[in-house]
Amino acid sequence: MTIKTKLIMSLFLLLLLVDVSLGYVIKETNIECIVNPDNTINETITLLIYNDKDENLSSITFTIPQNVKNYTIYSPNGIKGYSILYEEGATTFGLEFDKPVPPRKYTNITFNLLVSDAVWIKNDIYQLIMSFPISSKNATIEVILPPGAVISSYQGNLFVTPSGYKITTDGKHQIIVWNLNLNKEITFTIAVKYTFVKFPTQNIIETNNILTNSNLKYTLILLMLSILIFGGLFIRENRSKKKILEKNISIINELEKLKKLLKNKDEEILKLNNMINELKEELNRANRNILSKDEIISVLNDKVSEYKSELDKLINENQKYLEEINYLNELVKKLKNENKKLKEKVEELNKVVEEYQNLKKGVLWDFLTEDEKIIIDLIKKYGHITQKELVEITKMSKPKVSRIVSELEDRKIIKKEKIGRINKLTLTEESKKLL
């Protein structure tokens, strides 16, 4: 990593620290350290975070006073991105939540780490020394010794510090537990000396399985949460659109029914006209048959009353249908206004997303050195290229190109892709969007 990159990351972490150190409180700290027979330590740190401000909490920093590797980070709010600063004997994480923590709400963060520099051996005596920054009032630290390990003692005094601990066992491991109730921030340092009564090789597999199962568990949890969050958003949006579509289709169907009813009424009116014509013909026939005037009037009055009653009935039904049409028209107008508002909101959100993408592009590009920009431009130009071709084009030394490529791979900007029989370099999907 270049000096420039380290300086930028340090400034980024410092800004995060200044921004959020006053924006949240760590309510509880739980630390579990599983000491493996190979003298590495599976350390799990769980923090209960409380946002005590009136605005959303979007990022935090946390420093672990050990050199760590093979780490995973989990939060129910999701981890959108993170940066890591390695200093001598310490590792600082800068985390950005995928879903910010609302004011006066809680969230958890769990770090799963592999520590390799906390156990020393002298004359078959193993000494574990670890420090933990504790800023919460309540904290629990649990150290699980390897199978077959026992705490060393001298004249009845166990080599465990500080005091206030409890010792338990699960039948295979000795477990040391500190339950803390603090009134200020401290750095809690523990020291344990132990030795082995025996070294059962079968337990190595069991301990490694603990790590594997733990990593697998958190990986599966992260995957399931990602599917639930993004899948839930997708389903919810589609359901909303589907409801609007179904409602519009229902209205259209009702209008079609009304059209059919009106068409039927027109047919009935046409029938009435035909009947009137028939009456005229009957009148003509009556006249031809020399019917009396009174008889003709009586027949006509009866027919007119009958037809008038039918006509009044049709008028009332038509009025009812007209009222229903007016109601449906108002409903359609209301839905159009709602659709217009939704469309405007979508456009606003698209603008926000576009501004965020542009900002993210600028930030990523500013973090690149000039040599890194040259390498990325060549990869963008050719689509995929080998390291040997980069050396030939840029005239940079092979070690320099190898180092730059390695750093860009670590930062997930480029990746190696097998094309034919040759591994070539291409941009990652994320960097294609941002660069």
Side-chain angles (χ1 to χ4, degrees), residues 201-215:
T201 56
Q202 64 183 27
N203 285 330
I204 296 175
I205 298 173
E206 295 174 4
T207 305
N208 286 335
N209 283 339
I210 291 173
L211 174 61
T212 304
N213 291 336
S214 177
N215 287 337

Side-chain angles (χ1 to χ4, degrees), residues 302-315:
D302 291 340
K303 292 290 183 179
V304 168
S305 297
E306 181 181 350
Y307 297 143
K308 188 172 185 258
S309 176
E310 290 291 332
L311 185 60
D312 290 338
K313 184 178 179 182
L314 286 173
I315 290 172

Side-chain angles (χ1 to χ4, degrees), residues 32-44 114-115 118-120 126-130 142-149 172-176 190 192 194 196 199 203-204 207-208 210:
E32 179 187 72
C33 298
I34 301 174
V35 184
N36 299 315
D38 62 357
N39 300 326
T40 60
I41 298 170
N42 299 331
E43 181 177 0
T44 300
L114 184 64
V115 180
V119 177
W120 291 266
Y126 295 76
Q127 183 165 3
L128 167 68
I129 299 177
M130 296 184 75
E142 185 176 276
V143 176
I144 303 173
L145 296 181
K172 294 182 180 180
H173 311 80
Q174 278 195 330
I175 304 171
I176 310 165
I190 65 170
V192 180
Y194 61 92
F196 284 89
F199 198 90
N203 285 330
I204 296 175
T207 305
N208 286 335
I210 291 173

Side-chain angles (χ1 to χ4, degrees), residues 134 184-185 187 202 241 281 293 433:
I134 309 294
K184 64 177 182 179
E185 295 184 10
T187 299
Q202 64 183 27
K241 291 180 180 178
E281 291 178 2
K293 183 178 179 181
K433 298 175 183 177

Side-chain angles (χ1 to χ4, degrees), residues 232-244:
L233 290 174
F234 179 79
I235 291 170
R236 186 173 63 183
E237 181 180 359
N238 282 348
R239 282 179 178 172
S240 177
K241 291 180 180 178
K242 186 177 179 181
K243 284 183 179 178
I244 294 174

Side-chain angles (χ1 to χ4, degrees), residues 226-409:
S226 298
I227 292 171
L228 286 173
I229 290 171
F230 293 105
L233 290 174
F234 179 79
I235 291 170
R236 186 173 63 183
E237 181 180 359
N238 282 348
R239 282 179 178 172
S240 177
K241 291 180 180 178
K242 186 177 179 181
K243 284 183 179 178
I244 294 174
L245 181 62
E246 288 176 348
K247 200 167 186 180
N248 288 337
I249 291 173
S250 176
I251 292 171
I252 291 170
N253 290 336
E254 289 296 327
L255 288 172
E256 290 296 328
K257 289 180 181 178
L258 284 174
K259 286 181 181 179
K260 290 180 180 179
L261 286 172
L262 289 174
K263 185 178 179 181
N264 292 334
K265 297 305 175 184
D266 289 339
E267 291 176 354
E268 291 182 7
I269 290 173
L270 182 61
K271 287 182 180 179
L272 283 174
N273 288 329
N274 292 332
M275 292 172 70
I276 290 172
N277 290 330
E278 289 177 0
L279 282 174
K280 288 180 179 179
E281 291 178 2
E282 288 182 5
L283 181 60
N284 291 330
R285 284 196 297 270
N287 287 330
R288 285 194 297 269
N289 293 326
I290 314 174
L291 294 175
S292 67
K293 183 178 179 181
D294 291 336
E295 289 176 341
I296 294 172
I297 291 172
S298 177
V299 170
L300 288 174
N301 284 336
D302 291 340
K303 292 290 183 179
V304 168
S305 297
E306 181 181 350
Y307 297 143
K308 188 172 185 258
S309 176
E310 290 291 332
L311 185 60
D312 290 338
K313 184 178 179 182
L314 286 173
I315 290 172
N316 291 332
E317 289 180 356
N318 283 338
Q319 183 64 30
K320 181 180 177 181
Y321 295 139
L322 286 173
E323 290 174 357
E324 290 181 359
I325 289 173
N326 291 333
Y327 169 76
L328 291 173
N329 286 333
E330 289 296 325
L331 188 59
V332 169
K333 185 177 179 181
K334 183 177 179 182
L335 286 173
K336 285 182 178 179
N337 291 332
E338 290 179 356
N339 286 337
K340 183 178 179 181
K341 291 179 181 178
L342 287 172
K343 184 177 179 182
E344 291 173 352
K345 184 174 288 187
V346 169
E347 291 175 352
E348 291 176 1
L349 291 173
N350 287 335
K351 288 181 181 179
V352 172
V353 170
E354 184 178 356
E355 291 174 359
Y356 174 77
Q357 291 290 344
N358 291 333
L359 177 62
K360 198 170 180 184
K361 286 181 184 179
V363 171
L364 178 59
W365 193 253
D366 291 339
F367 269 62
L368 297 172
T369 64
E370 292 301 319
D371 290 337
E372 290 172 341
K373 291 177 182 178
I374 291 172
I375 297 297
I376 290 172
D377 284 339
L378 287 172
I379 295 174
K380 286 171 62 180
K381 179 179 179 181
Y382 293 100
H384 46 75
I385 192 171
T386 65
Q387 284 189 208
K388 182 179 178 181
E389 290 170 338
L390 287 175
V391 171
E392 293 174 354
I393 295 172
T394 62
K395 305 303 181 182
M396 298 181 192
S397 66
K398 185 177 180 180
K400 184 176 181 179
V401 171
S402 178
R403 175 178 56 78
I404 293 173
V405 167
S406 179
E407 289 184 359
L408 292 175
E409 279 187 297

Side-chain angles (χ1 to χ4, degrees), residues 9-23:
M9 289 183 68
S10 299
L11 289 172
F12 173 68
L13 289 171
L14 181 61
L15 287 171
L16 279 177
L17 184 61
V18 170
D19 179 51
V20 302
S21 61
L22 300 177

